[in-house]
Amino acid sequence: MSASIEMLRDSMPASGDQSENHKLMEIAIREIDRLNRLVSEFLDFVKPEKLRFESVDLPVILNELVLVLQGAKEIKGRIQIRERFEQGTLARANAEKLKQGALNLLMNAVQAMKKNGSVEVGCSRVNEKRVRFWVQDEGQGMSEEILSHLYEPFFTTKDKGTGLGLATAYKIIEAHHGEIRVRSTVDVGT
């Protein structure tokens, strides 16, 4: 649909009576993109899959995500991302899924920050078989009520949220035989 609308828009002159049609087509394209993202998130959440694990260098993966985020418009000049990586932190994981889960956690931290501040992302080895990575923000924090619904699909406190980001992150971490632990204080951070 989106491609058809784009072709139609590009074939019409952008002057006079047609400018209103161009605006409507732009809105339609944006809404189609939004629905595509929602359907993709939903399918990622419900789709059962067999993950292939390999040796993954956590600092490399997390650093890539930080680089991507630092270029995002909502972060530039407002949020500092600090990295605390223990070099050589290797995990048996599915790199793409782990990236997705970590990105969901990072995006949630960034979106919790209404003002300037910092987010810390880090990783370290716990022992020969376990590693940990963390995301810590200076955002608004969460009440006990919100914490009790944290990983429920479609539960969100955001105006434009889908409620699938943390639920998907939880599912990914669980598929890696891991766990998520959350500590949050209202007006301090998570």
Side-chain angles (χ1 to χ4, degrees):
M1 267 191 332
S2 184
S4 297
I5 293 172
E6 286 176 12
M7 286 175 54
L8 182 60
R9 178 198 62 199
D10 293 345
S11 71
M12 296 174 62
S15 60
D17 296 337
Q18 302 303 325
S19 66
E20 187 68 26
N21 290 336
H22 274 261
K23 288 178 187 173
L24 291 172
M25 287 183 223
E26 289 297 324
I27 292 169
I29 291 168
R30 279 196 311 272
E31 287 303 304
I32 290 168
D33 289 344
R34 185 183 64 79
L35 287 171
N36 279 338
R37 284 190 305 274
L38 178 62
V39 169
S40 292
E41 281 183 53
F42 180 72
L43 291 175
D44 280 344
F45 179 74
V46 298
K47 179 175 50 177
E49 54 191 310
K50 182 79 171 138
L51 298 179
R52 284 203 171 120
F53 295 128
E54 60 190 5
S55 183
V56 173
D57 191 335
L58 278 179
V60 170
I61 285 180
L62 295 173
N63 181 258
E64 286 176 10
L65 293 175
V66 168
L67 289 173
V68 168
L69 280 176
Q70 285 174 331
K73 184 173 51 175
E74 68 181 294
I75 293 176
K76 271 189 175 175
R78 191 173 77 80
I79 297 174
Q80 175 193 9
I81 301 178
R82 296 185 322 263
E83 300 173 70
R84 261 186 47 199
F85 302 142
E86 180 182 307
Q87 294 307 312
T89 304
L90 302 176
R92 296 280 307 152
N94 179 286
E96 290 308 308
K97 285 297 179 183
L98 196 57
K99 262 188 205 180
Q100 180 185 359
L103 181 61
N104 288 359
L105 294 173
L106 279 162
M107 288 302 298
N108 209 64
V110 165
Q111 291 167 354
M113 310 263 303
K114 302 298 182 198
K115 303 174 187 166
N116 294 351
S118 65
V119 170
E120 180 179 283
V121 59
C123 65
S124 64
R125 288 188 349 198
V126 175
N127 58 40
E128 291 299 316
K129 293 187 177 195
R130 297 197 54 93
V131 297
R132 74 181 191 121
F133 75 89
W134 63 90
V135 176
Q136 181 175 337
D137 67 57
E138 296 173 345
Q140 59 197 20
M142 294 178 278
S143 68
E144 289 297 322
E145 172 66 18
I146 290 172
L147 283 169
S148 70
H149 299 285
L150 203 55
Y151 306 115
E152 290 177 14
F154 307 109
F155 173 79
T156 184
T157 59
K158 300 173 193 159
D159 293 336
K160 296 188 179 191
T162 62
L164 289 172
L166 288 178
T168 301
Y170 182 85
K171 181 181 171 192
I172 290 169
I173 299 302
E174 196 173 58
H176 283 80
H177 309 289
E179 60 185 290
I180 297 180
R181 297 180 189 169
V182 179
R183 287 188 313 258
S184 188
T185 305
V186 174
D187 297 326
V188 175
T190 303

